[in-house]
Amino acid sequence: WNEYTEVIISEVDRLQSLTRNMLGPGSRMQRTPVNILEVLEHIRRIILAAEPGRILIHRDYDPSIPELSADRDMLIQAFLNIVRNAVQAIDGEGEIILKTRVDFRYTIGQITHPLVLRVDISDTGHGIPKDLGETIFLPMITDKADGSGLGLPIAQEIVSRHGGTIHLHSSTSGTTFSTYLPLEKS
């Protein structure tokens, strides 16, 4: 229970900070060196606490990924929104895979970056209907009866503010969201 209490307290603090930064005057990102594996492990603990026994989370991490300059709280929110979407797509028990890699010479918008961080979040859910496609990133678009349609647009906005992008691949056997974030050379 102690671990769950710590997760809850850190989430409340993070959400207060995130709300101030995104909605407050001047809403600027607080960039610091961020370890993406620590961010994903934080999210994994949240999901395991919320869905004990229902969701199995596999990790396929590249431990050599350098820290990136990012707003940690915003990144947690973006990836948490994507993982929550994956959880909601799974009826009954299912699996989610968190995978990290470094890709070389990847173009985002008009800029080709020498190195980018790629985070793949895959689920064994029912997939996203073809008619929704990339519109899933627009506000108020959802295939869930109780969904707000805001989780993925917020994730896309946060990733965009970090100079990155999110791509989607979906089929009836599951969905993968691939997030690409530039890695600056130190």
Side-chain angles (χ1 to χ4, degrees):
W1 290 111
N2 200 17
E3 181 182 343
Y4 294 139
T5 304
E6 288 175 21
V7 167
I8 291 168
I9 291 169
S10 73
E11 275 300 283
V12 169
D13 291 344
R14 184 187 65 77
L15 288 171
Q16 286 177 334
S17 172
L18 182 68
T19 303
R20 272 194 311 275
N21 289 339
M22 286 188 79
L23 303 176
S27 68
R28 292 183 301 162
M29 293 194 302
Q30 305 295 318
R31 285 187 183 259
T32 59
V34 174
N35 178 330
I36 194 63
L37 303 184
E38 187 273 328
V39 165
L40 294 174
E41 281 300 290
H42 180 79
I43 292 165
R44 187 181 72 84
R45 285 190 301 273
I46 292 169
I47 297 303
L48 293 177
E51 300 283 347
R54 185 172 90 81
I55 303 294
L56 181 61
I57 300 179
H58 298 282
R59 297 170 283 184
D60 182 0
Y61 295 156
D62 176 349
S64 70
I65 293 176
E67 291 185 324
L68 68 151
S69 176
D71 186 306
R72 180 183 177 277
D73 291 342
M74 284 188 181
L75 278 190
I76 287 174
Q77 191 62 55
F79 288 118
L80 184 58
N81 288 0
I82 295 169
V83 173
R84 279 189 181 136
N85 197 69
V87 168
Q88 291 168 354
I90 297 171
D91 294 323
E93 294 181 358
E95 300 176 9
I96 293 174
I97 301 169
L98 304 177
K99 178 178 175 182
T100 61
R101 293 294 185 267
V102 171
D103 285 356
F104 301 92
R105 299 201 45 76
Y106 189 85
T107 303
I108 300 172
Q110 303 295 319
I111 302 168
T112 300
H113 300 276
L115 296 173
V116 294
L117 162 67
R118 186 181 87 228
V119 177
D120 292 336
I121 298 172
S122 305
D123 66 63
T124 57
H126 51 71
I128 294 171
K130 285 193 187 311
D131 60 326
L132 287 183
E134 293 292 326
T135 63
I136 200 80
F137 293 109
L138 298 174
M140 313 310 271
I141 302 292
T142 184
D143 65 340
K144 297 168 188 66
D146 59 347
S148 69
L150 294 175
L152 293 176
I154 288 170
Q156 180 76 291
E157 172 63 21
I158 290 170
V159 168
S160 293
R161 287 179 71 178
H162 283 84
T165 189
I166 304 174
H167 294 286
L168 157 70
H169 174 75
S170 189
S171 70
T172 55
S173 59
T175 300
T176 298
F177 284 93
S178 297
T179 302
Y180 298 87
L181 293 165
L183 286 169
E184 288 105 9
K185 289 192 169 186
S186 349

